[in-house]
Amino acid sequence: MTKYILTSLICFTALIGYSQDKIKVVSSASIFQDMAKNIGGDKIISESIVPIGGDPHTYTPKPSDVELVSNADLILINGLTFEGWITELIENSGTKAKVVLITEGVEPITSQKYHNASDPHAWMDASNGVKYVYNISAGLAAVDPENALFYADNGAKYNSEIKNAHNYIKKQIATIPVEQRVLITSHDAFQYYGRAYDITLNAIMGISTESEAQSKDVKRVVNAIKTSKIPAVFIESTINPKMLQQIARDTGVKIGGELYADSIGDKDSEAPTYIKMLTHNTDVIVNALTGSSIESTKIDHDDTSNNTWIYIALGAVMILSLLLILFKMNK
Ligand SMILES: [Zn+2]
């Protein structure tokens, strides 16, 4: 019995020592939590304040978040009006953690709707993702200089994967015919994506989901659908799809699929990481915006082959009837 207690005690102490050695990194959102995990590996514990599937624009911090932030060694924030609630949370927690603005060096896009606000969704352009990774690596090196080389090395490897994703997206989007290269979503989260990969954008809501869509916004999107030849619009994983589904029904276009913008998906989804989120979004967009022409040709083709079979069957019936008449006449 004493042996078991002793073993458990040793394990418990080892576990505490193990987690105490690790750098506690707290990110505002799941996308940055995943980036940090890729750079910090087993040297860090990477956590997110807003859970997967949550909306970081409208998030209300919980009491447990105060504890999470107060125990952190490093806090990663996007800034550019993405997580406005975090400043107060950091102040209230009394944390001594280093706070890193991971969009440092990114060229911000000014909101088209609110001219004094910057669009926060810079990670949607993978070439900005590379800058995020540099900033996170530097932040980790600052709080854990002993492992600076480890973080720089992992950061470089991870960045080459992000650059591959960037090239993949560019090539894929270019396959959509220009007149159909229009992306309509629930909220305006794809401006950086559109600028980097050459696709025109339109959204019902602005760069934040805080203010509700007005009827004039719905009218603008409906007009854009009617004047362009786009076959599909897209819902988002963190936003209620009701309004966009209604617009799709009213204008007769399809829902092209679900996109991930402000959160990665859970581990069983098709977008469980930052890189997969970008490539999955791209595959969904390309399939839906190029799919209609493929589908209509397929339907036409099927119609012709169906008709051929009908003619053959009719011909056979006629020949049989003729033979039957001849047979009866001979009797
Ligand atoms: Zn957003």
Side-chain angles (χ1 to χ4, degrees), residues 135-156:
N135 292 329
I136 298 170
S137 303
L140 282 168
V143 294
D144 183 21
E146 260 179 52
N147 289 309
L149 216 61
F150 173 84
Y151 300 130
D153 208 36
N154 276 356

Side-chain angles (χ1 to χ4, degrees), residues 102-107 126-136 159:
I102 52 179
T103 45
E104 196 75 59
V106 162
E107 190 196 322
S127 70
N128 283 338
V130 170
K131 290 174 188 164
Y132 278 64
V133 171
Y134 283 133
N135 292 329
I136 298 170
N159 263 347

Side-chain angles (χ1 to χ4, degrees), residues 57 82 121 187 189 207 262:
H57 294 289
F82 186 47
H121 308 91
H187 92 299
I207 52 168
D262 291 344

Side-chain angles (χ1 to χ4, degrees), residues 21-22 111 161 167 177 183 213 216 239 242 283 289 296 330:
D21 281 350
K22 296 198 176 201
S111 160
E161 287 173 40
N167 293 334
L183 180 59
K216 67 174 185 344
I239 298 171
K242 244 171 121 180
D283 292 342
L289 293 186
S296 65
N330 279 343

